[in-house]
Short mmCIF file of all heavy atoms in Angstrom, two decimals:
data_model
loop_
_atom_site.label_atom_id
_atom_site.label_comp_id
_atom_site.label_asym_id
_atom_site.label_seq_id
_atom_site.Cartn_x
_atom_site.Cartn_y
_atom_site.Cartn_z
N ALA A 31 -2.87 44.25 18.41
CA ALA A 31 -2.44 45.28 17.56
C ALA A 31 -3.56 45.85 16.80
O ALA A 31 -3.59 47.09 16.63
CB ALA A 31 -1.26 44.84 16.76
N ALA A 72 -2.48 56.05 12.54
CA ALA A 72 -3.12 54.83 13.06
C ALA A 72 -2.37 53.56 12.36
O ALA A 72 -2.16 52.73 13.15
CB ALA A 72 -4.53 54.77 12.61
N ILE A 73 -2.03 53.69 11.16
CA ILE A 73 -1.36 52.49 10.62
C ILE A 73 0.14 52.44 11.22
O ILE A 73 0.50 51.34 11.54
CB ILE A 73 -1.19 52.79 9.13
CG1 ILE A 73 -2.55 52.54 8.41
CG2 ILE A 73 -0.17 51.75 8.44
CD1 ILE A 73 -2.67 52.89 7.01
N VAL A 74 0.82 53.45 11.44
CA VAL A 74 2.15 53.43 12.00
C VAL A 74 2.06 52.87 13.50
O VAL A 74 2.81 51.99 13.91
CB VAL A 74 2.74 54.76 12.07
CG1 VAL A 74 4.09 54.79 12.86
CG2 VAL A 74 3.11 55.10 10.60
N ILE A 75 1.15 53.28 14.16
CA ILE A 75 0.81 52.84 15.58
C ILE A 75 0.49 51.30 15.63
O ILE A 75 1.01 50.55 16.38
CB ILE A 75 -0.23 53.79 16.29
CG1 ILE A 75 0.29 55.06 16.60
CG2 ILE A 75 -0.74 53.08 17.57
CD1 ILE A 75 -0.67 56.04 17.02
N TRP A 76 -0.38 50.96 14.65
CA TRP A 76 -0.70 49.50 14.46
C TRP A 76 0.42 48.66 14.24
O TRP A 76 0.78 47.61 14.80
CB TRP A 76 -1.81 49.43 13.39
CG TRP A 76 -2.03 47.99 12.89
CD1 TRP A 76 -2.45 46.95 13.64
CD2 TRP A 76 -1.66 47.54 11.65
NE1 TRP A 76 -2.42 45.79 12.82
CE2 TRP A 76 -2.02 46.10 11.51
CE3 TRP A 76 -1.17 48.10 10.57
CZ2 TRP A 76 -1.83 45.42 10.38
CZ3 TRP A 76 -0.98 47.32 9.42
CH2 TRP A 76 -1.38 45.92 9.36
N LEU A 77 1.27 49.11 13.24
CA LEU A 77 2.47 48.27 12.87
C LEU A 77 3.51 48.22 14.04
O LEU A 77 4.00 47.10 14.25
CB LEU A 77 3.23 48.85 11.61
CG LEU A 77 2.40 48.61 10.30
CD1 LEU A 77 3.02 49.37 9.19
CD2 LEU A 77 2.41 47.00 10.04
N VAL A 78 3.71 49.36 14.70
CA VAL A 78 4.59 49.36 15.91
C VAL A 78 4.10 48.37 16.92
O VAL A 78 4.89 47.61 17.53
CB VAL A 78 4.94 50.75 16.25
CG1 VAL A 78 5.65 50.71 17.64
CG2 VAL A 78 5.75 51.47 15.27
N ALA A 79 2.77 48.50 17.30
CA ALA A 79 2.31 47.72 18.28
C ALA A 79 2.32 46.20 17.84
O ALA A 79 2.73 45.38 18.80
CB ALA A 79 0.82 48.12 18.41
N TRP A 80 2.04 45.92 16.66
CA TRP A 80 2.18 44.54 16.23
C TRP A 80 3.60 43.95 16.44
O TRP A 80 3.77 42.87 16.91
CB TRP A 80 1.74 44.38 14.83
CG TRP A 80 1.54 43.04 14.28
CD1 TRP A 80 1.51 41.83 15.03
CD2 TRP A 80 1.04 42.62 13.05
NE1 TRP A 80 1.23 40.76 14.30
CE2 TRP A 80 0.94 41.21 12.98
CE3 TRP A 80 0.82 43.33 11.90
CZ2 TRP A 80 0.58 40.60 11.84
CZ3 TRP A 80 0.49 42.60 10.74
CH2 TRP A 80 0.31 41.22 10.65
N VAL A 81 4.55 44.74 15.93
CA VAL A 81 5.94 44.30 16.14
C VAL A 81 6.38 44.13 17.55
O VAL A 81 6.87 43.03 17.98
CB VAL A 81 6.89 45.23 15.34
CG1 VAL A 81 8.45 44.94 15.77
CG2 VAL A 81 6.70 45.35 13.85
N VAL A 82 6.11 45.02 18.39
CA VAL A 82 6.41 45.05 19.73
C VAL A 82 5.69 43.97 20.51
O VAL A 82 6.37 43.20 21.26
CB VAL A 82 6.11 46.39 20.49
CG1 VAL A 82 6.34 46.27 21.96
CG2 VAL A 82 7.11 47.49 20.01
N LEU A 83 4.42 43.79 20.19
CA LEU A 83 3.65 42.68 20.98
C LEU A 83 4.16 41.30 20.33
O LEU A 83 4.09 40.43 21.29
CB LEU A 83 2.11 42.94 20.74
CG LEU A 83 1.52 44.12 21.54
CD1 LEU A 83 0.14 44.33 21.07
CD2 LEU A 83 1.65 43.87 23.04
N HIS A 84 4.55 41.29 19.11
CA HIS A 84 4.89 39.96 18.65
C HIS A 84 6.23 39.58 19.34
O HIS A 84 6.45 38.38 19.72
CB HIS A 84 5.17 40.00 17.20
CG HIS A 84 5.62 38.83 16.52
ND1 HIS A 84 4.88 37.64 16.28
CD2 HIS A 84 6.94 38.41 16.19
CE1 HIS A 84 5.60 36.73 15.87
NE2 HIS A 84 6.86 37.15 15.79
#
Side-chain angles (χ1 to χ4, degrees):
I73 289 170
V74 168
I75 291 168
W76 163 67
L77 286 173
V78 169
W80 193 3
V81 169
V82 169
L83 289 171
H84 179 79

